[in-house]
Amino acid sequence: MNEQLPLWRRALTAELCWLDEAGQPHVVASTPLVAGSVPCVALPYARAPEVAGIGTGTPVAFAVTDSRSLRRGGPGHAWYGTVTRTEDTEGDFFAVELLRQELTKYPPSRTFADSPLLCRENWWWLPRIVLRLARRAHAVELPARTSPHRHALLARERSGELALDVVDLPDGAQGTGGPAALPLRSLAGGALRGDGAQALAFGYDYSMPDMERWEPWSLRGPLLGDRLEVTDRAGAPGAELGPLTLLQRIRRQRTLSRACRRELAAAQNRS
């Protein structure tokens, strides 16, 4: 892992991937952070429902595949292992160990926590679900995703384990009116050889350099050979990434605050 740690430190975005108990694949995009020398992500409590199925010991993969986080022409990487989950409901660990990194990599966080006064005012932003990559089994090289609208990280169950590929989707495949059966092309070459297990094609785009808009999208369904039989779509590839209006920013902050407070209260009640 030591040779890959500089990539994790440098990357602006990363993907956390896992299988739930039913074998369904999941992927979330986040900001890669480092706790000491351990790769981690620290999600605000508004995102708790996205990782509800992850507990300490869950097999996961931490991946960096977005070309904007890689050296020009360089490959992506994924590190497989298990995760350690920490409920930092007071936000003390995040504020001391990880906040400075996030302020550098994720500019929108500066709106909430760029000074002691802001941290006190937006206290709900500091509590985090911290997921560390614990026991590391192995690392794999993946092609870089150079087209946010066409290239996707494909997560699926194969032989009882999580498997990752990077695929190219045909034009028009991602929209709400796209075809139900999509031919996928592996950017690494070769056949995907899907056996009918559930697969998730996940991508995202974000505005640069402010990262104010971060739009994920996904296609889910069984993978048969090289064809994904789409049963569920989420997000909008190619969505407008222009700046938000002042009213949109205010509404988004209020929605985020309410969600963080609600999920934080639920976590505290469980503890």
Side-chain angles (χ1 to χ4, degrees):
M1 180 65 190
N2 289 337
E3 64 274 17
Q4 279 88 23
L5 191 58
L7 170 57
W8 190 261
R9 291 186 187 275
R10 185 175 66 250
L12 295 177
T13 66
E15 301 86 51
L16 170 62
C17 318
W18 74 99
L19 299 174
D20 64 21
E21 294 180 353
Q24 293 279 350
H26 298 269
V27 182
V28 297
S30 187
T31 302
L33 306 173
V34 178
S37 60
V38 179
C40 71
V41 298
L43 302 178
Y45 270 87
R47 301 186 65 183
E50 297 179 48
V51 293
I54 295 184
T56 294
T58 298
V60 300
F62 279 24
V64 177
T65 60
D66 184 81
S67 62
R68 290 164 288 188
S69 286
L70 302 168
R71 296 194 186 279
R72 185 179 299 273
H77 288 83
W79 300 275
Y80 289 82
T82 57
V83 75
T84 298
R85 178 173 179 142
T86 302
E87 301 282 342
D88 183 25
T89 55
E90 298 299 323
D92 294 336
F93 176 80
F94 174 76
V96 174
E97 301 293 337
L98 303 176
L99 176 58
R100 185 177 296 274
Q101 295 178 52
E102 181 174 280
L103 293 177
T104 299
K105 291 188 174 188
Y106 184 61
S109 192
R110 300 171 192 168
T111 303
F112 307 126
D114 201 19
S115 70
L117 179 61
L118 284 173
C119 286
R120 287 194 297 271
E121 181 178 347
N122 302 302
W123 59 268
W124 45 268
W125 183 243
L126 299 181
R128 296 298 176 103
I129 301 168
V130 181
L131 301 168
R132 298 177 178 87
L133 185 61
R135 182 183 59 82
R136 295 182 288 275
H138 63 284
V140 300
E141 189 174 287
L142 294 169
R145 293 183 300 108
T146 58
S147 172
H149 304 159
R150 288 181 57 103
H151 294 168
L153 182 62
L154 183 73
R156 53 175 164 152
E157 183 272 329
R158 186 167 60 197
S159 302
E161 303 290 340
L162 172 66
L164 298 178
D165 298 277
V166 176
V167 297
D168 181 57
L169 281 67
D171 288 332
Q174 308 93 321
T176 56
L182 299 179
L184 305 181
R185 180 179 64 86
S186 171
L187 293 187
L192 294 172
R193 296 188 176 88
D195 60 1
Q198 287 290 310
L200 176 69
F202 178 87
Y204 57 92
D205 197 7
Y206 49 88
S207 57
M208 289 290 287
D210 57 29
M211 302 188 79
E212 182 180 48
R213 303 290 298 273
W214 196 339
E215 301 293 339
W217 55 268
S218 64
L219 303 167
R220 182 185 294 276
L223 183 68
L224 300 169
D226 290 335
R227 299 182 71 86
L228 181 67
E229 304 290 334
V230 180
T231 58
D232 184 62
R233 301 170 186 265
E240 172 60 41
L241 296 177
L244 298 174
T245 66
L246 177 58
L247 182 58
Q248 287 174 321
R249 289 191 181 100
I250 293 172
R251 287 175 174 170
R252 187 170 70 167
Q253 180 168 339
R254 288 176 177 173
T255 299
L256 179 61
S257 174
R258 287 194 296 267
C260 283
R261 294 167 188 253
R262 180 181 65 249
E263 296 297 336
L264 177 59
Q268 292 172 329
N269 289 336
R270 290 193 298 268
S271 62

